[in-house]
Amino acid sequence: GILCVKEALLKPFYCMAVNAGFNPLEKLGEHEKAKEACNLAISQYEQAGESSPDEIASIYQSLAKALEALGEVDAAQDALNKANDI
């Protein structure tokens, strides 16, 4: 269910970001898409009432990586804190 959705949303974006070449604007765009995918996955978990702490923590960690890559350091730290609090 939700785990498959998470994997389907996140994996392609990180692969594209790694393989995006040397154009930093492309990489930033891919990190933005990963950020959106993480936020969507978190929202879906919350709406479904799923209780999968390890999966939710993993999504928050992925969100933190995307936010850090985008230079959103404070938001990245907030995401890591949420991952650790779960």
Side-chain angles (χ1 to χ4, degrees):
I2 298 291
L3 176 60
C4 292
V5 171
K6 174 200 160 213
E7 289 297 318
L9 290 171
L10 297 179
K11 191 171 182 176
F13 294 113
Y14 282 112
C15 290
M16 286 187 284
V18 169
N19 297 318
F22 296 105
N23 185 341
L25 293 177
E26 281 182 30
K27 288 186 180 185
L28 285 176
E30 298 307 323
H31 289 301
E32 185 65 40
K33 289 178 184 177
K35 172 185 158 182
E36 291 170 10
C38 288
N39 284 325
L40 177 62
I42 291 166
S43 174
Q44 288 179 339
Y45 264 102
E46 291 173 350
Q47 290 175 0
E50 291 287 326
S51 179
S52 302
D54 291 338
E55 291 303 317
I56 296 171
S58 175
I59 296 170
Y60 273 113
Q61 290 169 349
S62 296
L63 176 60
K65 289 178 187 176
L67 290 167
E68 186 175 7
L70 291 168
E72 299 179 33
V73 179
D74 292 337
Q77 187 60 51
D78 289 344
L80 284 177
N81 290 342
K82 288 179 182 178
N84 292 332
D85 290 343
I86 294 175

